[in-house]
Amino acid sequence: MGQRIVLIDDEARLLRALKRALESDGLEVAEFLDPRQALAAVRASPPALVVSDIRMEGMSGLDLVATLRQERPEVPCILMTAYSSVETAVAAVRLGAKDYLLKPFELAEFTGAVRRALAQPAATGDEAAGDPRLVGRSPRMRAVLDLIGAVAGTDSTVLIQGESGTGKELVARLLHRRSARADRPFLPVNCSAIPETLFESELFGHQKGSFTGAVGDKPGLYQEAEGGTLFLDEIGDLAPASQAKLLRVLQDGTFKRVGDPRSTTSDVRILAATNRVLREEVEAGRFREDLWYRINVVEITLPPLRERAEDLGELVGYLLERFSRKHRRGPFTVDPALLAHLAGHAWPGNVRELENVLERAVILKRSGALHPEDVPLARGKPATVPELPPGLLPLDQTMDQIEEELIRRALATTGWNYSRAAELLGVTRQNLHYKLKKYHLRKENHG
Ligand SMILES: Nc1ncnc2c1ncn2[C@@H]1O[C@H](COP(=O)(O)OP(=O)(O)OP(=O)(O)O)[C@@H](O)[C@H]1O
Ligand SMILES: [Mg+2]
């Protein structure tokens, strides 16, 4: 018997036809109408390949891919999807699916894709992407690179500022990698995700029984990062009480675990980032001035992508190569008209947005020359008022449509980063989630 394939589709007739095609190719096929049963079979005995529909009852193909990536990363997966949901196919490949097939397809296309997937060595996914670099030779990026070179080897606290997606975390990782602490932990902490009441215990740890819910001793992030670097991301979102607690440890380098009267000293380097302009937060009274001084010893401000269009060519080349390697696609060439097309865009999501549109193009185009039409961009001005429809439309319904459209664009721009999207829209995350439910907006339907 040949290699074993797990085949999943909730359409019984198609399932039978595909099974026959694979069997006549000498492959062994276990077919399933229910993705959950298929997953159980994969867990019991990993096959050489999983081929699955995307839209199914019980479990979507995307959930299946995500689960497989986690539990059985060595098992490759191909997804089948209708042409109308090509963005879902892109999302699937991003999640780690090896390839996708657009329905309807010829049986020969199907067996060809299966054979290719079986012939390729196990994908290494993100690992193959290599060490990330900070790309750009514009004067402003050169200045940033110089500054990184100057402070990386020191223990200096650094405040990294810049709009969303400009590379703040990347810079923090570079600073750590180039420091004497490189072989010690680099621990990112999302300050906006830690509730005010838990901040102290998360950062400094707690002793058993020190508060309701403290069932055991727990080391804090400071202890976990000992000898290394703590990256305080979104520090501008820190609540006032948490700011006070952070100030204390930055002032004298000691802290107390919650419930423990003794002080502990620590050797941790602090890097912080924010996409707000922290000086303005200080002026508005939302951020403590004394804490700002402690953090802002060295300031690195990353320029928005639209202010360094001369870096686009190098960035595009670098990212195309990275995504080609990741998805085993390419080689690509870049139509000069594409660069002009990209240079005309405002890039509210900066390099992350560029990554999103290029990864999509790599997945869909597979190889060859990339033209402007291969890289559609969200249009610049979101708040245009739509034409009046011919019939009567109640105002509240129209407002809903506009709202839904704005939410879609914010999500597309931010690559479905809920915090960023909520920020762009000027609403809270809870409010955004409420509206996602209201408009039935789900990531899997929209890539
Ligand atoms: N100059 C650059 N060269 C290469 N890749 C970059 C560059 N800047 C950013 N990137 C890439 O863009 C993506 C977003 O960068 P990063 O996560 O560091 O942004 P950020 O400023 O922390 O954004 P946010 O404020 O949304 O958290 C990452 O995948 C990063 O590797
Ligand atoms: Mg970040």
Side-chain angles (χ1 to χ4, degrees):
M1 264 297 189
Q3 289 165 293
R4 193 168 129 266
I5 315 282
V6 163
L7 183 64
I8 316 159
D9 199 305
D10 53 6
E11 236 178 287
R13 280 182 53 195
L14 181 63
L15 190 64
R16 271 199 306 275
L18 298 179
K19 177 181 158 82
R20 271 199 303 272
L22 292 179
E23 282 177 344
S24 62
D25 252 15
L27 296 162
E28 185 190 334
V29 179
E31 81 274 29
F32 298 88
L33 287 162
D34 183 339
R36 286 161 300 193
Q37 283 175 17
L39 190 58
V42 171
R43 284 185 180 126
S45 158
L49 177 70
V50 173
V51 184
S52 174
D53 193 15
I54 282 192
R55 266 171 214 243
M56 296 173 294
E57 287 290 316
M59 183 182 207
S60 82
L62 285 186
D63 291 338
L64 182 74
V65 173
T67 311
L68 279 177
R69 275 308 121 242
Q70 267 203 325
E71 295 184 17
R72 297 273 176 206
E74 76 282 8
V75 177
C77 180
I78 295 181
L79 288 178
M80 303 178 283
T81 183
Y83 183 74
S84 59
S85 53
V86 56
E87 296 305 331
T88 318
V90 172
V93 176
R94 274 198 179 137
L95 272 176
K98 178 146 250 171
D99 210 343
Y100 63 90
L101 278 157
L102 289 183
K103 288 178 177 180
F105 45 72
E106 305 280 325
L107 278 180
E109 237 181 287
F110 171 74
T111 51
V114 167
R115 252 182 267 119
R116 272 195 307 278
L118 288 173
Q120 278 177 5
T124 41
D126 281 336
E127 285 164 48
D131 245 12
R133 276 199 304 128
L134 192 65
V135 175
R137 289 176 222 184
S138 57
R140 296 189 61 185
M141 281 311 281
R142 271 181 208 267
V144 167
L145 287 165
D146 287 349
L147 206 48
I148 290 173
V151 294
T154 72
D155 266 345
S156 177
T157 301
V158 181
L159 175 63
I160 308 161
Q161 301 189 105
E163 289 178 13
S164 176
T166 47
K168 296 184 293 295
E169 175 151 1
L170 182 59
V171 165
R173 288 182 187 277
L174 282 178
L175 285 171
H176 175 74
R177 251 204 344 249
R178 294 208 202 152
S179 76
R181 299 168 178 266
D183 55 348
R184 302 291 305 154
F186 173 88
L187 229 57
V189 188
N190 185 346
C191 295
S192 66
I194 303 180
E196 192 172 348
T197 48
L198 288 182
F199 183 79
E200 199 174 6
S201 121
E202 286 289 319
L203 234 65
F204 309 132
H206 61 246
Q207 268 195 324
K208 186 177 172 176
S210 52
F211 57 90
T212 326
V215 284
D217 282 358
K218 186 176 160 286
L221 294 162
Y222 253 91
Q223 282 131 303
E224 283 176 32
E226 182 62 28
T229 305
L230 206 52
F231 174 46
L232 301 176
D233 203 0
E234 320 279 5
I235 197 163
D237 294 356
L238 216 54
S242 309
Q243 292 178 24
K245 281 160 190 153
L246 183 62
L247 178 66
R248 216 168 314 140
V249 62
L250 290 184
Q251 272 169 344
D252 60 9
T254 69
F255 61 88
K256 285 180 186 158
R257 299 195 309 159
V258 178
D260 185 348
R262 290 163 303 173
S263 285
T264 314
T265 57
S266 72
D267 170 29
V268 170
R269 181 186 194 183
I270 297 292
L271 302 176
T274 172
N275 51 27
R276 307 181 182 207
V277 180
L278 214 47
R279 182 175 31 79
E280 287 171 7
E281 297 297 301
V282 170
E283 279 160 12
R286 285 188 293 265
F287 200 83
R288 295 180 67 118
E289 189 168 20
D290 42 11
L291 180 58
W292 180 53
Y293 280 124
R294 285 277 164 192
I295 292 166
N296 194 18
V297 179
V298 175
E299 185 179 311
I300 296 181
T301 299
L302 292 166
L305 185 54
R306 66 185 159 280
E307 289 174 16
R308 54 182 189 109
E310 65 263 51
D311 287 339
L312 271 173
E314 193 190 352
L315 268 170
V316 168
Y318 168 78
L319 294 175
L320 285 179
E321 202 190 300
R322 224 178 80 199
F323 293 133
S324 298
R325 228 178 311 143
K326 176 173 168 193
H327 299 299
R328 292 168 194 276
R329 302 274 210 256
F332 291 97
T333 57
V334 178
D335 176 354
L338 172 62
L339 285 182
H341 172 63
L342 299 179
H345 184 59
W347 300 107
N350 292 293
V351 185
R352 183 179 296 109
E353 185 185 356
L354 180 65
E355 282 183 341
N356 286 340
V357 296
L358 289 179
E359 185 168 18
R360 175 186 183 278
V362 164
I363 291 168
L364 290 177
K365 183 88 182 205
R366 293 172 190 274
S367 68
L370 283 180
H371 303 291
E373 61 269 27
D374 296 319
V375 188
L377 300 169
R379 258 168 300 135
K381 284 191 231 114
T384 50
V385 177
E387 294 290 302
L388 274 183
L392 237 170
L393 204 62
L395 185 59
D396 55 350
Q397 216 173 310
T398 313
M399 294 310 280
D400 278 0
Q401 282 176 9
I402 295 173
E403 185 172 72
E404 181 180 347
E405 179 59 23
L406 287 176
I407 293 172
R408 279 179 195 279
R409 288 184 194 174
L411 290 166
T413 302
T414 59
W416 283 78
N417 179 324
Y418 295 127
S419 305
R420 296 278 85 78
E423 198 167 296
L424 267 183
L425 294 163
V427 299
T428 62
R429 261 183 76 120
Q430 286 95 317
N431 193 264
L432 177 63
H433 280 292
Y434 161 80
K435 294 200 189 287
L436 293 182
K437 277 218 190 83
K438 176 175 169 187
Y439 297 120
H440 306 289
L441 290 169
R442 285 170 59 197
K443 187 166 182 179
E444 64 189 74
N445 302 328
H446 304 279

